[in-house]
Amino acid sequence: MKILVMGPPGAGKGSQSQKLIEDYDLTHISTGEMFRKSYERGEKLGIEAMAYIHEGNLVSDEITNEIVRNRLLKKDAERCFLLDGYPRTETQAEALDEMLSEMNSKLTAVINIVVDKDIILERMVGRRVCRNCGHTYHTKFKPPHKEGICDKCGGELYQRKDDQIDSVRNRLNIYESKTKPIIDYYKGRGVLININGMQSFDAVYRDIKKALRDLT
Ligand code: ADP
Ligand code: AMP
């Protein structure tokens, strides 16, 4: 299975991807997470990318395509993967097509999680992430058992700098102008699945699983 998970920032891509990779045994490829990890390791790539990320801007297509290409060439991505947060521009969507055709492969499904703007703002501002394992919480919708501490690994929870209101607004504008149009790119290929993301975590997941079952 080769899946893309799309949707505006804060739609629930990461939360749903976490469940999907466990259930379907997929290799999780999140470009945002790759940039954050690279930054934490003090690498040049991560430090350069973070300057864009903090402001809510996109990292260049060139750099992003390159890290995805290298990641897809690894053995664990050969059979099945889930791409979360990539592609985000038409240039990236075209590059991904090229990569897949070189691999003699194609997408099984493109899951598009649909959420209204006012809900997104509340979700993003309340998001907290584990510094250690990257697991995601929400102050109101998914609080950890102990405030500020990750249930999974005991790591420290923090608020991403790009989840502060000014970056969030910029990210939403960029989503509308650069990323949303590529949904049409996948329409007509018979792989696009639109999911109502304005439901509970479990209801969204139930709908995704049902749509995937219907595909096969
Ligand atoms: P994305 O990866 O699309 O940016 P996340 O999965 O990180 O989004 O979700 C953004 C925030 O919204 C997180 O704090 C998450 O806990 C919360 N969230 C995700 N899905 C739901 C949902 N269905 N109901 C309520 N809160 C949600
Ligand atoms: P995410 O974790 O998916 O919310 O991504 C966090 C940030 O990383 C984004 O706001 C961008 O700045 C950057 N980023 C992640 N994926 C991409 C991508 N495919 N293209 C460009 N920038 C990206």
Side-chain angles (χ1 to χ4, degrees):
M1 212 187 259
K2 289 169 176 132
I3 300 182
L4 298 190
V5 180
M6 298 194 56
K13 300 182 294 295
S15 306
Q16 299 298 330
S17 297
Q18 210 55 53
K19 294 185 190 209
L20 284 164
I21 57 161
E22 282 166 22
D23 268 9
Y24 293 90
D25 194 19
L26 307 171
T27 295
H28 188 193
I29 305 177
S30 157
T31 39
E33 194 61 23
M34 284 163 87
F35 290 134
R36 284 188 289 277
K37 287 267 177 269
S38 172
Y39 175 76
E40 269 158 34
R41 286 194 296 266
E43 295 167 3
K44 190 167 168 268
L45 169 96
I47 293 165
E48 279 174 15
M50 204 44 78
Y52 296 90
I53 295 174
H54 278 168
E55 299 298 320
N57 292 321
L58 294 182
V59 179
S60 77
D61 287 334
E62 209 184 346
I63 291 177
T64 311
N65 289 336
E66 183 68 14
I67 63 158
V68 172
R69 179 179 289 278
N70 291 337
R71 186 65 190 85
L72 286 179
L73 286 173
K74 293 201 173 145
K75 188 102 191 112
D76 64 351
E78 224 169 59
R79 203 173 49 85
C80 37
F81 59 75
L82 182 155
L83 271 168
D84 163 4
Y86 178 93
R88 266 175 150 105
T89 65
E90 204 167 317
T91 308
Q92 293 180 12
E94 287 162 3
L96 176 62
D97 271 349
E98 252 180 61
M99 293 175 214
L100 291 171
S101 103
E102 282 163 22
M103 293 163 76
N104 248 333
S105 182
K106 62 182 173 72
L107 294 172
T108 317
V110 176
I111 298 167
N112 178 38
I113 306 179
V114 181
V115 177
D116 288 345
K117 219 174 191 165
D118 49 340
I119 295 182
I120 289 174
L121 284 176
E122 193 181 13
R123 284 195 186 170
M124 288 177 83
V125 170
R127 170 159 59 190
R128 299 292 181 270
V129 182
C130 175
R131 217 178 265 291
N132 181 44
C133 71
H135 198 78
T136 300
Y137 297 84
H138 192 282
T139 48
K140 186 166 153 196
F141 306 127
K142 194 185 170 194
H145 294 311
K146 198 166 168 218
E147 203 187 318
I149 306 287
C150 178
D151 294 347
K152 294 224 160 193
C153 74
E156 177 207 358
L157 302 186
Y158 77 108
Q159 181 180 33
R160 281 166 47 177
K161 202 167 172 200
D162 59 338
D163 277 347
Q164 283 163 15
I165 197 73
D166 288 342
S167 289
V168 169
R169 287 214 178 91
N170 191 25
R171 290 165 74 192
L172 286 175
N173 288 336
I174 291 175
Y175 171 77
E176 288 292 327
S177 62
K178 300 241 168 82
T179 310
K180 206 173 174 187
I182 63 175
I183 291 165
D184 283 339
Y185 187 87
Y186 293 109
K187 245 184 220 164
R189 293 195 187 184
V191 287
L192 185 69
I193 298 171
N194 287 311
I195 297 288
N196 174 10
M198 294 169 281
Q199 315 178 71
S200 69
F201 288 92
D202 289 348
V204 175
Y205 192 59
R206 180 201 60 211
D207 286 359
I208 293 176
K209 279 192 85 163
K210 182 175 179 308
L212 287 176
R213 261 199 311 273
D214 290 348
L215 265 188
T216 49

